Amino acid sequence: MQAENKPVRALFVGFGNVGQKVAEILFLERERHPNVRSLDLRVVGIVTKSRGSLVNNNGVDVVKALQEIREGGRFSWTNFELTNIKGLDAVRQLDYDVLVELSTLSIAQKGEPALSHVREALNRGKHVVTANKAPAAFAYHELTSLAHDKGVSFLIESTVMDGTPVFNLAKHGLKAASILGVSGVLNSTTNFVLSRMEQGESLEAAVTIAQKEGFAEADPRHDLEGWDASAKITVLANALMGASLTPYDVDRQGITHVSVADAQTAVKAGKHLKLICKAWREGEQVKTKVALEEIERGHPFAPIRESGSILMIETDLLAPFVITETEPTLSDTAFGVINDLMSLGS
Amino acid sequence: MQAENKPVRALFVGFGNVGQKVAEILFLERERHPNVRSLDLRVVGIVTKSRGSLVNNNGVDVVKALQEIREGGRFSWTNFELTNIKGLDAVRQLDYDVLVELSTLSIAQKGEPALSHVREALNRGKHVVTANKAPAAFAYHELTSLAHDKGVSFLIESTVMDGTPVFNLAKHGLKAASILGVSGVLNSTTNFVLSRMEQGESLEAAVTIAQKEGFAEADPRHDLEGWDASAKITVLANALMGASLTPYDVDRQGITHVSVADAQTAVKAGKHLKLICKAWREGEQVKTKVALEEIERGHPFAPIRESGSILMIETDLLAPFVITETEPTLSDTAFGVINDLMSLGS
């Protein structure tokens, strides 16, 4: 799309931390990031649940929008671009090239409303970029085949390990390989909490710190009960191993039952408690599991502390290899969204 | 090229361990590797320096060729495909789609003859896939711009970390990022030797084991003096950071001066000696270095033992991330070549 020298028209649904960071990088910090400059993005709509919604067919004033959120927590009542449009209506009616779906994952609602937004956009022949795990965790094959039929992209790089290349790596770097299994530590909050519990901090105190540092949600149960990890391993199983699973199919365990004594006993035995995500093949089936495991000190997953993530990929031809994300920030997730926006149609 | 349902016509120059493994996977083990089956390769020539050369415009009998090498160490005198053609003549005269350049890197000869093979093939508008570091270490920008002008591919995935995705990862997964620096442990032989010296083995004894295990060359000085590592960091600097360097530009150190006492003293202090490759920016310039460093136990590079490799990539938008290759075999390098063969023209 870039080759045509026409701006890419984007509709943002959801404009929380990730959406704002995407906008900051592209509209405020553009000069500091030379490789994003070739992306000419025109935002024709920003639809949110609690911050108001902006629509402008000639391009929303993104700098002003960011400033309003910073100052008032929402788009200003005086902003002439302000409308009452809802997400699904915007997806159905506005004139855009790509839907940027950044709403929050809802396991209880089986991925809605994000799933419907994505399905509708693809049906209209629009590209979709999403950092929301829901669509790929609940309907990966339906959506990829719909995108294929319509000749558009459905890109999800930021759904697992933030923007660290996982899906791009597999799509381009593992064409000749069959992926036999993936495993890793994929949820920052639980890994951070377990690291702190090893040092004697209580689960509750550690969660409070994780919330302050900005990577745990206000309601941390989604992380602590293993749902975020389950969604991630489902996306990996669906996208990399051809499975058709949902997060409800994962053999799931969380960390709410872990005590400080458990964490410290493991350390004394030279081990670390980690919430490990796994997908593997059993005959024609792909199985998935999220479970607390004792990891030996020499294991590739042992060095991952605090908020980092790690993923091991096993294939039929390559020796197992590992991707480690050291200290992710919001920029990492925003990067993945921007990288996807630069990959539309390719 | 696959879409046309015509076989890809390949000319192999060099047919040592890697070339034979590529041929084994594609012609003997095909059924065990479902994702390579879509690659329909017709080998129209195999040119070697010491094993003879085979040419057949309708396709060399690769299975017979492999058998002859296994039985007699070279192509048989009775093989009707046997010819006296030399590498450069084959590259200039035969009718092929892709040159698979697998000859040995020669630093002393500034990358020749591989460099000329690749240049000639690209000039003829042929794709090039190579596991030889020479072309990208000595003339990356000349060759990539030549390939671009001719509308063909120049693919080098196997030159660093065997086939573990590095160049594909950067090309597709880091479009939006500027790479600020790369560093890592990239030479298996020195890492293996240093690991063994920590356990009291002499340098010479450790080299002998590495040779037996098949990853050290018959003449190990290329590894021990840091030339292989220098070639690799040069390829990374050229391909990922826009540098125009050669291995002679690297501030290079080897491990021949290290004693068992040095290695064991480091371990007692909680550290490991590693031969670290680095490329970083200084103003407009890219600098490169290969040097022995003491790595602390908690450092991301510390866990790499024996023949593994590890690479850290730092960018302007993503937190530093690390790719670890655990226990590479010949399959890893062959995989990279095959993955490149499946990526021609994309």
Side-chain angles (χ1 to χ4, degrees):
Chain A
M1 303 187 68
Q2 294 301 302
E4 298 163 21
N5 275 329
K6 275 171 58 183
V8 177
R9 299 169 61 85
L11 167 61
F12 280 63
V13 173
F15 202 64
N17 290 335
V18 174
Q20 291 170 44
K21 190 71 206 174
V22 169
E24 281 170 25
I25 292 168
L26 291 179
F27 292 89
L28 293 178
E29 302 169 359
R30 197 170 181 82
E31 290 311 306
R32 281 163 47 196
H33 302 296
N35 283 23
V36 309
R37 282 183 221 152
S38 64
L39 176 64
D40 182 7
L41 199 76
R42 180 175 298 171
V43 178
V44 296
I46 304 177
V47 179
T48 80
K49 266 169 76 176
S50 55
R51 294 181 174 91
S53 298
L54 304 178
V55 170
N56 188 337
N57 196 42
N58 295 315
V60 166
D61 185 338
V62 175
V63 174
K64 191 166 85 172
L66 284 168
Q67 197 181 343
E68 289 176 359
I69 287 191
R70 201 167 300 158
E71 286 168 4
R74 57 157 294 144
F75 302 131
S76 165
W77 299 105
T78 64
N79 190 327
F80 76 93
E81 295 167 341
L82 195 71
T83 79
N84 282 322
I85 201 163
K86 298 284 174 249
L88 197 57
D89 294 326
V91 169
R92 283 180 174 148
Q93 294 163 18
L94 297 185
D95 175 22
Y96 59 94
D97 302 313
V98 55
L99 167 65
V100 183
E101 208 334 308
L102 301 174
S103 63
T104 320
L105 166 63
S106 167
I107 294 279
Q109 296 179 58
K110 301 197 173 170
E112 292 298 351
L115 184 50
S116 293
H117 296 162
V118 171
R119 188 184 284 125
E120 286 292 313
L122 293 174
N123 249 322
R124 287 187 66 196
K126 311 298 188 190
H127 299 290
V128 172
V129 169
T130 182
N132 184 327
K133 289 169 278 292
F138 283 96
Y140 183 78
H141 290 285
E142 175 207 333
L143 299 173
T144 45
S145 70
L146 180 56
H148 183 262
D149 291 348
K150 298 285 181 178
V152 293
S153 298
F154 168 52
L155 301 179
I156 59 167
E157 189 61 271
S158 290
T159 57
V160 178
M161 294 185 92
D162 309 305
T164 305
V166 172
F167 301 101
N168 272 303
L169 179 151
K171 181 176 173 186
H172 302 283
L174 299 179
K175 282 181 190 177
S178 302
I179 297 181
L180 305 177
V182 296
S183 54
V185 177
L186 299 175
N187 176 263
S188 297
T189 302
T190 49
N191 199 52
F192 179 86
V193 167
L194 291 169
S195 294
R196 290 302 173 104
M197 287 171 79
E198 289 179 353
Q199 297 155 40
E201 205 104 52
S202 74
L203 187 141
E204 294 73 17
V207 167
T208 306
I209 301 168
Q211 286 168 333
K212 275 189 195 145
E213 301 213 351
F215 52 88
E217 302 288 325
D219 178 353
R221 285 176 301 178
H222 181 66
D223 291 321
L224 301 180
E225 294 174 0
W227 281 113
D228 177 73
S230 294
K232 284 174 173 159
I233 196 65
T234 304
V235 174
L236 291 171
N238 290 348
L240 303 189
M241 299 175 69
S244 291
L245 300 171
T246 81
Y248 291 103
D249 297 315
V250 179
D251 179 3
R252 176 184 52 83
Q253 188 184 35
I255 66 160
T256 48
H257 63 290
V258 181
S259 69
V260 170
D262 295 338
Q264 295 192 324
T265 305
V267 170
K268 274 178 206 141
K271 298 173 183 174
H272 297 283
L273 292 179
K274 302 269 175 208
L275 190 65
I276 303 291
C277 304
K278 271 188 190 157
W280 68 98
R281 295 189 189 278
E282 263 183 40
E284 296 293 296
Q285 286 194 304
V286 176
K287 301 280 189 178
T288 50
K289 187 174 182 176
V290 170
L292 196 73
E293 290 191 20
E294 287 195 337
I295 298 296
E296 306 272 348
R297 222 166 248 163
H299 192 281
F301 298 164
I304 271 296
R305 312 304 295 275
E306 305 268 311
S307 64
S309 292
I310 194 160
L311 179 68
M312 179 182 281
I313 300 182
E314 294 175 68
T315 77
D316 59 338
L317 283 169
L318 278 171
F321 68 96
V322 180
I323 312 161
T324 310
E325 184 188 26
T326 55
E327 301 161 40
T329 67
L330 265 183
S331 273
D332 286 64
T333 313
F335 163 82
V337 171
I338 295 169
N339 203 73
D340 280 350
L341 286 168
M342 293 176 71
S343 308
L344 298 179
S346 71
Chain B
M1 303 187 67
Q2 293 302 302
E4 299 164 22
N5 275 329
K6 275 171 57 183
V8 177
R9 298 170 61 86
L11 167 62
F12 279 63
V13 173
F15 202 63
N17 290 335
V18 174
Q20 291 170 43
K21 191 72 207 172
V22 169
E24 281 170 25
I25 292 168
L26 291 179
F27 293 90
L28 293 178
E29 303 169 0
R30 198 171 181 83
E31 290 311 306
R32 283 163 47 194
H33 303 295
N35 283 22
V36 309
R37 282 183 222 152
S38 64
L39 176 63
D40 181 7
L41 199 75
R42 180 175 299 171
V43 178
V44 296
I46 304 177
V47 180
T48 80
K49 265 169 78 175
S50 55
R51 294 181 174 89
S53 298
L54 304 179
V55 170
N56 188 337
N57 196 44
N58 295 316
V60 166
D61 184 339
V62 175
V63 174
K64 191 166 86 173
L66 284 168
Q67 196 180 342
E68 289 176 358
I69 286 191
R70 201 167 300 158
E71 287 169 3
R74 57 156 295 142
F75 301 131
S76 165
W77 298 105
T78 63
N79 190 326
F80 77 93
E81 295 167 340
L82 195 71
T83 80
N84 282 321
I85 201 164
K86 298 282 173 253
L88 198 57
D89 293 326
V91 169
R92 283 180 174 149
Q93 295 164 17
L94 297 185
D95 176 21
Y96 59 94
D97 301 314
V98 56
L99 168 65
V100 183
E101 188 11 280
L102 302 175
S103 63
T104 320
L105 167 63
S106 167
I107 294 279
Q109 295 179 57
K110 301 196 172 170
E112 292 298 353
L115 184 51
S116 292
H117 295 164
V118 171
R119 188 184 284 126
E120 286 292 312
L122 294 174
N123 249 322
R124 287 186 66 195
K126 311 298 187 189
H127 300 290
V128 172
V129 169
T130 182
N132 184 325
K133 290 169 279 292
F138 282 95
Y140 183 78
H141 291 286
E142 175 207 333
L143 299 173
T144 45
S145 70
L146 181 55
H148 182 262
D149 290 348
K150 299 286 182 178
V152 293
S153 298
F154 168 53
L155 301 179
I156 59 167
E157 188 61 271
S158 290
T159 58
V160 178
M161 294 185 92
D162 310 305
T164 305
V166 172
F167 301 100
N168 272 302
L169 179 151
K171 181 176 174 186
H172 302 284
L174 299 178
K175 281 180 190 177
S178 302
I179 298 181
L180 305 177
V182 296
S183 54
V185 176
L186 299 175
N187 176 263
S188 297
T189 302
T190 49
N191 200 52
F192 179 87
V193 167
L194 290 170
S195 293
R196 290 302 173 104
M197 287 172 79
E198 289 179 353
Q199 297 157 40
E201 205 103 53
S202 74
L203 187 141
E204 294 73 18
V207 167
T208 306
I209 301 168
Q211 286 168 332
K212 274 189 198 145
E213 302 213 350
F215 53 87
E217 302 288 325
D219 178 354
R221 284 175 302 178
H222 181 67
D223 291 321
L224 300 180
E225 293 173 1
W227 282 112
D228 176 74
S230 294
K232 284 173 174 158
I233 196 66
T234 303
V235 173
L236 291 171
N238 291 348
L240 303 189
M241 300 176 70
S244 292
L245 300 172
T246 80
Y248 291 104
D249 298 315
V250 179
D251 179 2
R252 176 184 51 84
Q253 188 184 33
I255 66 160
T256 48
H257 62 291
V258 181
S259 69
V260 171
D262 294 338
Q264 296 192 323
T265 305
V267 171
K268 275 177 206 141
K271 297 173 184 175
H272 296 283
L273 292 179
K274 302 269 176 209
L275 191 65
I276 303 291
C277 304
K278 272 188 190 156
W280 69 98
R281 295 188 188 279
E282 263 184 40
E284 296 294 296
Q285 285 195 303
V286 176
K287 300 280 189 179
T288 50
K289 187 173 181 176
V290 171
L292 197 72
E293 290 191 20
E294 287 194 337
I295 298 295
E296 306 273 347
R297 222 166 248 162
H299 191 281
F301 298 164
I304 270 297
R305 312 303 296 274
E306 304 267 310
S307 64
S309 291
I310 194 160
L311 179 69
M312 178 181 281
I313 300 182
E314 295 175 68
T315 77
D316 59 338
L317 283 169
L318 278 171
F321 69 96
V322 180
I323 313 160
T324 310
E325 184 189 26
T326 56
E327 300 162 41
T329 67
L330 265 183
S331 272
D332 286 64
T333 312
F335 164 83
V337 171
I338 295 169
N339 203 73
D340 281 350
L341 286 169
M342 294 176 71
S343 307
L344 299 179
S346 71

